Amino acid sequence: MLAHIPMERGTLGKWLKAGDVEQGGWQPTETGAPQGGIISPALCNLTLEGLEQTLKEKFAPTQRIGKQTQVHLVRYADDFLITSRTRELVVEEVKPVGARFLAERGLELSPTKTRITHITEGVDFLGTNIRKYDGKLLIKPSKKSVKQVRKKITTVLKRNLHAGVEKLVGMLNPIITGWANYQRPWMSKETFQRVDHEINRKVWGWAQRKHPTKSCGWLKPKYFSASATRSGESGQTRTQSDGKKQTIRLAKAQATPIRRHVKIRQAANPYDPAWETYFEARAGQQMAEDLQGRRKLVQLWMEQKGRCPMCDQQITKATGWNLHHLHG
């Protein structure tokens, strides 16, 4: 790492030997970095920095194939995906180049995780399945990802057979919404519907195990209240101490809107003042799409009385808005 990571070696050396603090006690770093620790993905990114440039230089466009790039790299921490024009190019040239790059850094390709496949057969990457169907590229949640979220739901239901509805929903909702938010940039609508159907089926089974002597006619209004129903939505309505009715709803994956991810430009640098306007525009767009962000924008608009604090011009939908950091 010290020989290849592009940063000041003294600082990196101290960082690698800094140890960690757990439950108020300091533990020295004996070997490596903790699995899943915050430093691990950072070190992976730094160690693999340069792989993309190496592939670009080795497999640059040629006169024979015109301006078409022969090889592309997609990387996230220590997981990466390399695409190529032909299988022969991958096996005979790309893989050896990648192996040499890793070997110089004390790494090697995992035999169990490394797979060479055609795009029409598809490949799983970061919880998604990337595959071409009749010439059209589609990205969907992978079967493994769906299986994992279903397993988490099942585990929670089994371990909390006698828990109250409010507590159970409080444990299930973060799992459902977290998974759905991660998968929402892809072609996920049909998968969300299937997952919701499976979750409702599992919740129904939980209710039957919780009350084995009760009939379906008794269970349905209790755990699938009509006031909470949206095509069979799980929920329960209860009356609070002030007399108002409160509905406890189980989150639905299909209620998460599909929203395409907008890539960050490759050359963008958040620490370069020249890119400040670009990142401000991205932040403003993300706030506009998020409910909490829209509330913050409305609050700022009201605090500023609908005017820009710098030029005193009226802020409207036509003018839009910009996020700026003011320095006194």
Side-chain angles (χ1 to χ4, degrees), residues 196-197 200 223-236 247 249-257:
D196 282 336
H197 175 76
N200 276 339
Y223 292 106
F224 293 79
S225 172
S227 60
T229 298
R230 191 165 62 241
S231 67
E233 183 176 8
S234 307
Q236 187 179 76
T247 301
R249 287 189 175 93
L250 183 66
K252 296 176 75 69
Q254 58 187 312
T256 303

Side-chain angles (χ1 to χ4, degrees), residues 86-104:
T86 64
R87 181 185 182 89
E88 291 73 18
L89 182 61
V90 173
V91 175
E92 298 174 7
E93 299 186 49
V94 176
K95 189 175 180 180
V97 169
R100 285 196 298 271
F101 179 91
L102 296 176
E104 293 174 356

Side-chain angles (χ1 to χ4, degrees), residues 158-199:
K158 286 184 177 180
R159 292 179 178 177
N160 296 274
L161 179 61
H162 302 291
V165 173
E166 188 171 357
K167 180 182 177 182
L168 184 68
V169 170
M171 290 186 286
L172 293 178
N173 281 356
I175 298 174
I176 299 169
T177 56
W179 178 80
N181 283 332
Y182 178 81
Q183 298 289 358
R184 70 180 181 178
W186 329 122
M187 305 289 292
S188 305
K189 186 175 181 180
E190 291 183 4
T191 305
F192 284 173
Q193 291 174 347
R194 291 198 302 270
V195 169
D196 282 336
H197 175 76
E198 181 68 17
I199 291 174

Side-chain angles (χ1 to χ4, degrees), residues 200-244:
N200 276 339
R201 190 180 67 81
K202 290 179 181 294
V203 171
W204 179 257
W206 169 85
Q208 288 180 314
R209 290 192 299 271
K210 186 178 176 69
H211 307 283
T213 61
K214 298 296 184 179
S215 66
C216 294
W218 184 89
L219 290 173
K220 187 173 181 179
K222 181 174 179 63
Y223 292 106
F224 293 79
S225 172
S227 60
T229 298
R230 191 165 62 241
S231 67
E233 183 176 8
S234 307
Q236 187 179 76
T237 301
R238 61 175 57 184
T239 304
Q240 296 177 307
S241 57
D242 58 1
K244 295 182 179 179

Side-chain angles (χ1 to χ4, degrees), residues 40-327:
S40 182
L43 290 175
C44 289
N45 277 316
L46 289 170
T47 304
L48 294 178
E49 182 65 30
L51 177 58
E52 183 175 13
Q53 187 61 32
T54 299
L55 293 173
K56 281 185 177 181
E57 293 174 356
K58 177 67 177 178
F59 304 100
T62 63
Q63 290 289 352
R64 184 169 57 86
I65 62 173
K67 295 182 179 180
Q68 181 183 0
T69 303
Q70 300 181 69
V71 175
H72 293 276
L73 171 72
V74 180
R75 179 166 65 85
Y76 183 84
D78 60 340
D79 293 316
F80 58 87
L81 178 68
I82 299 177
T83 63
S84 172
R85 293 184 296 108
T86 64
R87 181 185 182 89
E88 291 73 18
L89 182 61
V90 173
V91 175
E92 298 174 7
E93 299 186 49
V94 176
K95 189 175 180 180
V97 169
R100 285 196 298 271
F101 179 91
L102 296 176
E104 293 174 356
R105 289 152 179 79
L107 303 172
E108 62 181 10
L109 292 170
S110 171
T112 58
K113 294 183 179 180
T114 303
R115 182 187 174 200
I116 300 176
T117 182
H118 195 273
I119 190 63
T120 55
E121 298 176 7
V123 60
D124 287 351
F125 185 63
L126 301 178
T128 66
N129 180 263
I130 306 169
R131 182 179 174 184
K132 268 191 174 182
Y133 297 84
D134 297 327
K136 185 176 182 180
L137 180 66
L138 298 179
I139 304 177
K140 302 179 179 181
S142 66
K143 292 181 179 179
K144 183 178 179 181
S145 177
V146 174
K147 185 177 179 180
Q148 287 177 340
V149 72
R150 289 169 56 187
K151 184 177 179 180
K152 288 182 180 179
I153 296 295
T154 301
T155 300
V156 171
L157 291 173
K158 286 184 177 180
R159 292 179 178 177
N160 296 274
L161 179 61
H162 302 291
V165 173
E166 188 171 357
K167 180 182 177 182
L168 184 68
V169 170
M171 290 186 286
L172 293 178
N173 281 356
I175 298 174
I176 299 169
T177 56
W179 178 80
N181 283 332
Y182 178 81
Q183 298 289 358
R184 70 180 181 178
W186 329 122
M187 305 289 292
S188 305
K189 186 175 181 180
E190 291 183 4
T191 305
F192 284 173
Q193 291 174 347
R194 291 198 302 270
V195 169
D196 282 336
H197 175 76
E198 181 68 17
I199 291 174
N200 276 339
R201 190 180 67 81
K202 290 179 181 294
V203 171
W204 179 257
W206 169 85
Q208 288 180 314
R209 290 192 299 271
K210 186 178 176 69
H211 307 283
T213 61
K214 298 296 184 179
S215 66
C216 294
W218 184 89
L219 290 173
K220 187 173 181 179
K222 181 174 179 63
Y223 292 106
F224 293 79
S225 172
S227 60
T229 298
R230 191 165 62 241
S231 67
E233 183 176 8
S234 307
Q236 187 179 76
T237 301
R238 61 175 57 184
T239 304
Q240 296 177 307
S241 57
D242 58 1
K244 295 182 179 179
K245 290 188 176 182
Q246 177 193 18
T247 301
I248 303 168
R249 287 189 175 93
L250 183 66
K252 296 176 75 69
Q254 58 187 312
T256 303
I258 303 299
R259 190 170 295 148
R260 305 304 178 202
H261 173 69
V262 180
K263 287 181 60 178
I264 295 179
R265 296 179 188 174
Q266 185 175 3
N269 185 348
Y271 302 104
D272 186 350
W275 288 93
E276 184 176 1
T277 304
Y278 171 76
F279 281 101
E280 285 176 353
R282 282 186 63 90
Q285 184 64 31
Q286 290 172 356
M287 290 180 68
E289 294 176 351
D290 181 70
L291 178 59
Q292 186 176 358
R294 290 198 296 270
R295 288 172 179 168
K296 186 174 182 179
L297 286 173
V298 171
Q299 181 183 355
L300 288 171
W301 188 83
M302 295 182 68
E303 289 178 356
Q304 296 171 188
K305 298 181 180 179
R307 294 183 175 275
C308 172
M310 298 299 293
C311 64
D312 199 40
Q313 294 295 313
Q314 191 77 28
I315 299 175
T316 64
K317 288 185 178 180
T319 62
W321 60 83
N322 290 295
L323 303 178
H324 295 286
H325 302 281
L326 302 181
H327 301 278

